[in-house]
């Protein structure tokens, strides 16, 4: 028999789950858990400067490794500060286990100091959540939380633990086994055979890959399927890296800021093979006019996605990796010379134009110069705004889990903490975080965490003195009535970064920008690289609100 | 950030159906389920919930006005960790018929 407190039990169960790093901020209601953590030899704690930062650091760890990551917060404001990072994890299907302290059981519901109903608040933004009512329940709840976070379509799970439950003694015979993911759903052989037939018969098929391909580690199989059946392949924002950009079959990203040829090729397709994607409005534009002539095969682990937006001709509920594996031997090898040469001609007539790509002080040029100085082992993180879309268009992504971006929720402030998390999990990699002057300010306090931890995180700040994406939309769609989107007073970001203890490079004052950039990217340790960007640079092409993907506007 | 354009929510062609859910019996299950219906503006007309004899599980009966989103909503219900099974019945299922006299 073993006897320990609830808090000690949580730490033991986390150790068993092979958690090595936890990010969080302590407070009264979670102090017993921190006290127990202080005795752990296997888990290191990283102190964030804001709980939202902690949540996004945990996300960064989960996104690069594919394994559930853990963050801690105290009750009340600590817990509410986690909410945005949890919602973000839900929309991008990231396995996250958030553990919050809560006021003692008997005080729940009495408006006690720092009491909020975080359980109630997070119902719609978690995959599942728990309010633990006894230390004995933890034996089941903690493994369940991990099982749920990593099974099927991954997602965030919140476990709210009252302070007295953390202190309560519990006696038990042995620790439960560490959680493993649920078994995969059985293969739907009939549907797979039907899908193979549609692929064999199609003349103009397009493979449409989503984030599910990354989550299921199915990217190599998806590339093999594309090659074997000569299917041009497009990726959503979440799937970038699944197929290397320079692969001959790659159509790059589709949708609102995709290349014209990509959206045109989709328009002409007669079969859309959707793998782990969800027909998001940013990707497909006006749903009724998306791929109007195409039959649809939809493969997804989440049955609720099948038919949600577009009714598929063949729906396959299953793990995309297992399904692709079963599909591969059944499809005929093809060359599809006519379709591929047509796509090639679309590509040469309507290419993605990266204006100014040779000037390292222009938006596309800076991205190119960073890419040139790094190899494919680097991790590329972004914040949210124009810079995010420019990087998505222009950075040569070639590897699954190379690319971390807030897709579904589009959260400004994601970048820096997610980059720190990526570096905590995989310290051997260079992590580059492209950010904007608006986004960086949303979690700028994490520069302190970064300076303390000292990872090889390079922040590339594309500073246009503006909430650029908002400014762009006001210019294009609101009659140039610009409000609340420009900063009137410049911020000295270089000084701020120095104040936090980061190395800095201001490309505005550099005589050899390319060489200086390459040098700072190669050095160990964190750095801020600052570059002013012309505010009048917009993201093009662009599908205007409510339009079909083929009605793109150009600059 | 820019307006998202979707087909308007259906306003006609509703069909009444009865759903039978088997769920884990603990506090919080109801909020998970009701929240799902509320967010999608699904009109829940009637709701009845009692624990099953083993005390571990409960059965929930719902009457809803369904439209073409119902199938997806059922999948979303099935996705909830505490929902063990969802069965669909016609509007004339006796469970609510017998209750009608309590609502006169
Ligand atoms: C937390 C949050 N608040 C507001 C928005 C709306 N929004 C989207 S992009 C953007 C501007 C981003 O500015 P910046 O980070 O400087 O990037 P830029 O577009 O200038 O490259 C805003 C306000 C958001 N996505 N996230
Ligand atoms: Mg900006």
């Amino acid at each position: 028999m073993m006897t320990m407190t609830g808090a000690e039990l949580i730490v033991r169960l986390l150790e068993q789950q092979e958690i090595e790093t936890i990010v969080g901020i302590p407070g009264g209601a979670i102090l017993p858990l921190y006290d127990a953590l202080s005795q752990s030899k296997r888990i290191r704690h990283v102190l964030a400067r804001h709980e939202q930062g902690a949540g996004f650091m945990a996300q960064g760890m989960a996104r690069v490794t594919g394994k559930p990551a853990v963050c801690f917060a105290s009750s009340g404001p600590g817990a509410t500060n986690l909410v945005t990072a949890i919602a973000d994890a839900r929309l991008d299907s990231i396995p996250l286990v958030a553990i919050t302290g809560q006021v003692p059981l008997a005080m729940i519901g009495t408006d006690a100091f720092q009491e909020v109903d975080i359980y109630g608040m997070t119902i719609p933004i978690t995959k599942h959540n728990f309010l633990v009512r006894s230390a004995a329940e933890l034996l089941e709840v903690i493994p369940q939380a991990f099982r749920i976070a990593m099974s099927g379509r991954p997602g965030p799970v919140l476990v709210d633990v009252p302070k007295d439950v953390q202190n309560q003694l519990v006696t038990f015979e042995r620790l439960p086994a560490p959680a493993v993911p649920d078994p995969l759903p059985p293969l739907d052989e009939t549907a797979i055979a039907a899908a193979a037939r549609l692929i064999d018969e199609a003349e103009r098929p397009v493979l449409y890959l989503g984030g599910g391909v990354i989550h299921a580690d199915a990217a190599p199989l998806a590339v093999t399927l594309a090659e074997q059946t000569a299917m041009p392949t497009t990726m959503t924002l979440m799937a970038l890296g699944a197929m290397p950009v320079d692969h001959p079959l790659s159509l790059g990203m589709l949708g609102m800021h995709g290349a014209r040829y990509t959206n045109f090729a989709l328009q002409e397709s007669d079969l859309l093979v959707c793998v782990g994607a969800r027909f998001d409005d940013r990707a497909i534009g006006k749903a009724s006019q998306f791929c109007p002539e195409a039959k649809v095969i939809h493969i997804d682990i989440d049955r609720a996605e099948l038919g949600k937006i577009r009714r598929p001709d063949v729906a396959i509920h299953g793990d995309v990796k297992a399904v692709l594996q079963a599909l591969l031997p059944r499809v005929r090898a093809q060359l599809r010379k006519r379709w591929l040469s047509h796509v090639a001609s679309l590509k040469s007539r309507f290419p993605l134009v990266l204006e100014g790509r040779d000037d390292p002080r222009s938006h596309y040029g800076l991205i190119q110069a960073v890419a040139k100085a790094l190899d494919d082992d680097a991790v590329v993180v972004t914040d949210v705004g124009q810079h995010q879309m420019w990087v998505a268009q222009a950075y040569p992504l070639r590897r699954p889990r190379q690319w971390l971006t807030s897709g579904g929720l589009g959260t400004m402030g994601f970048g820096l903490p997610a980059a720190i998390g990526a570096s905590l999990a995989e310290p051997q990699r260079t992590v580059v975080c492209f950010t904007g002057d608006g986004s960086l300010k949303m979690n700028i306090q994490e520069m302190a965490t970064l300076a303390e931890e000292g990872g090889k995180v390079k922040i590339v700040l594309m500073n246009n003195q503006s909430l650029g994406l908002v400014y762009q939309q006001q210019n294009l769609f609101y009659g140039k009535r610009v409000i609340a989107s420009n900063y009137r007073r410049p911020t000295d970001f270089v000084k701020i970064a120095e104040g936090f203890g980061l190395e800095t490079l201001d490309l505005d004052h550099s005589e050899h920008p390319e060489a200086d950039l390459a040098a700072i990217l190669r050095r160990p340790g964190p750095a801020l690289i600052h570059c002013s960007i012309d505010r009048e640079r917009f993201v093009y092409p662009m599908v205007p609100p409510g339009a079909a993907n083929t009605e793109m506007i150009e600059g | 950030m820019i307006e998202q354009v979707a087909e308007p929510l259906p306003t006609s062609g509703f069909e009444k159906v009865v759903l039978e859910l088997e769920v884990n019996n603990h506090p919080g299950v109801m909020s998970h389920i009701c929240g799902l219906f509320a967010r999608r503006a699904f009109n829940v007309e009637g709701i009845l919930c009692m624990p099953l004899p083993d005390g571990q599980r409960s059965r929930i009966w719902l009457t809803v006005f369904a439209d073409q989103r119902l199938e997806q909503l059922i999948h979303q219900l099935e996705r909830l960790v505490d929902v063990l099974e969802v069965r669909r019945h016609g509007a004339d299922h006796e469970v609510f018929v017998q209750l009608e006299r309590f609502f006169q």
Side-chain angles (χ1 to χ4, degrees), chain A residues 12 133 213 272 280 311 335 338 369 374 394 424 501 506 511:
Chain A
R12 288 295 294 277
R133 291 177 193 275
V213 172
L272 189 64
D280 177 72
R311 185 144 298 276
L335 296 175
R338 270 183 58 192
L374 298 171
L424 288 171
D506 194 345
E511 292 197 1

Side-chain angles (χ1 to χ4, degrees), chain B:
Chain B
M1 183 168 36
I2 346 185
E3 4 357 343
Q4 279 143 318
V5 185
E7 305 301 325
L9 287 178
T11 50
S12 63
F14 289 135
E15 172 205 2
K16 210 168 174 177
V17 297
V18 170
L19 298 178
E20 179 187 358
L21 279 64
E22 205 149 300
V23 304
N24 288 325
N25 176 16
H26 67 76
V29 177
M30 278 301 234
S31 345
H32 278 100
I33 292 165
C34 294
L36 199 69
F37 283 94
R39 248 174 298 138
R40 302 211 67 185
F42 239 82
N43 198 354
V44 179
E45 277 277 292
I47 184 162
L48 178 66
C49 175
M50 293 281 278
L52 291 170
D54 67 3
Q56 301 288 304
R57 291 164 304 147
S58 300
R59 181 162 298 146
I60 300 177
W61 293 91
L62 302 168
T63 25
V64 297
F65 278 112
D67 52 51
Q68 74 276 11
R69 300 171 300 162
L70 181 67
E71 193 189 322
Q72 205 236 338
L73 201 97
I74 291 177
H75 288 320
Q76 288 183 319
L77 279 172
E78 287 168 338
R79 194 162 74 164
L80 295 176
V81 171
D82 284 319
V83 173
L84 308 170
E85 206 187 333
V86 183
R87 275 187 291 260
R88 184 183 166 158
H89 305 281
D92 49 357
H93 193 278
E94 58 183 356
V95 62
F96 284 102
V97 176
Q98 289 175 22
L99 276 176
E100 266 168 21
R101 66 190 174 94
F102 294 102
F103 291 87
Q104 316 248 306

Side-chain angles (χ1 to χ4, degrees), chain A residues 436-438 462 464 466-468:
Chain A
D437 48 325
M462 304 176 80
N464 54 8
S466 159
L467 297 168

Side-chain angles (χ1 to χ4, degrees), chain A residues 338-353:
Chain A
R338 270 183 58 192
W339 174 226
L340 291 189
S341 78
H342 181 66
V343 170
S345 89
L346 285 176
K347 186 168 180 173
S348 65
R349 275 187 293 156
F350 307 104
L352 185 68
V353 188

Side-chain angles (χ1 to χ4, degrees), chain A residues 424-495:
Chain A
L424 288 171
E426 302 198 334
Q428 74 285 5
R429 296 186 191 276
T430 304
V431 180
V432 56
C433 169
F434 288 95
T435 185
D437 48 325
S439 296
L440 183 58
K441 283 177 208 146
M442 293 225 178
N443 273 318
I444 200 162
Q445 74 288 343
E446 301 309 331
M447 280 188 181
T449 313
L450 176 58
E452 207 163 83
E453 297 299 323
K456 199 172 174 191
V457 174
K458 311 292 181 180
I459 306 166
V460 178
L461 170 56
M462 304 176 80
N463 185 1
N464 54 8
Q465 271 292 310
S466 159
L467 297 168
L469 204 56
V470 176
Y471 179 70
Q472 166 167 351
Q473 292 186 34
Q474 290 172 343
N475 272 280
L476 296 179
F477 309 118
Y478 290 88
K480 299 197 193 318
R481 290 181 299 280
V482 173
I483 175 171
S485 57
N486 284 330
Y487 294 119
R488 294 197 299 274
R489 197 181 183 290
T491 302
D492 190 341
F493 285 100
V494 171
K495 209 169 186 176

